[in-house]
Amino acid sequence: MGALPSRRSSRRSPSVLHLPCAERTVGVEAALRLPDVMVLVVEDTCAVIALRNWARREPPIWRRRARRCWHAEGRRLRAEKARVKDLAARCLDEPA
């Protein structure tokens, strides 16, 4: 029975937040203490939710106009993801 890792061992540390759009991790303490980092966490969370929602709503291939709109929305969301990644670089890499 011990061949598979337990669910508990595969979880991330509760003191670290993973930001998928920013491709970074930040400490919970930093997010709570520093307003810019908290803004980054919120922006990343919103971008992830929007991207997942967008991917779930893919229209059928025969609905050409709907697909064009869907693709345009995807481009806007990917631009937003890039903006969040840039925000992470400014918040986390530049000296305070």
Side-chain angles (χ1 to χ4, degrees):
M1 289 296 278
L4 296 174
S6 71
R7 290 186 73 179
R8 185 170 294 201
S9 68
S10 65
R11 292 185 182 163
R12 286 189 170 80
S13 169
S15 63
V16 176
L17 298 171
H18 176 67
L19 307 177
C21 287
E23 298 176 0
R24 302 288 184 100
T25 57
V26 296
V28 171
E29 286 297 319
L32 294 173
R33 211 171 7 88
L34 303 169
D36 289 345
V37 177
M38 179 55 76
V39 168
L40 174 62
V41 170
V42 171
E43 293 276 345
D44 192 272
T45 302
C46 291
V48 167
I49 291 168
L51 281 163
R52 288 180 182 168
N53 180 329
W54 169 79
R56 186 180 50 78
R57 294 182 288 108
E58 182 176 5
I61 198 160
W62 62 83
R63 295 190 57 213
R64 291 182 181 170
R65 185 175 189 285
R67 285 189 68 81
R68 278 195 308 271
C69 292
W70 183 78
H71 281 291
E73 181 183 359
R75 285 189 294 275
R76 286 190 300 275
L77 291 173
R78 285 187 296 279
E80 177 65 15
K81 180 179 176 181
R83 188 189 68 77
V84 170
K85 192 172 179 179
D86 182 57
L87 177 64
R90 286 187 280 123
C91 286
L92 303 175
D93 293 344
E94 293 179 1

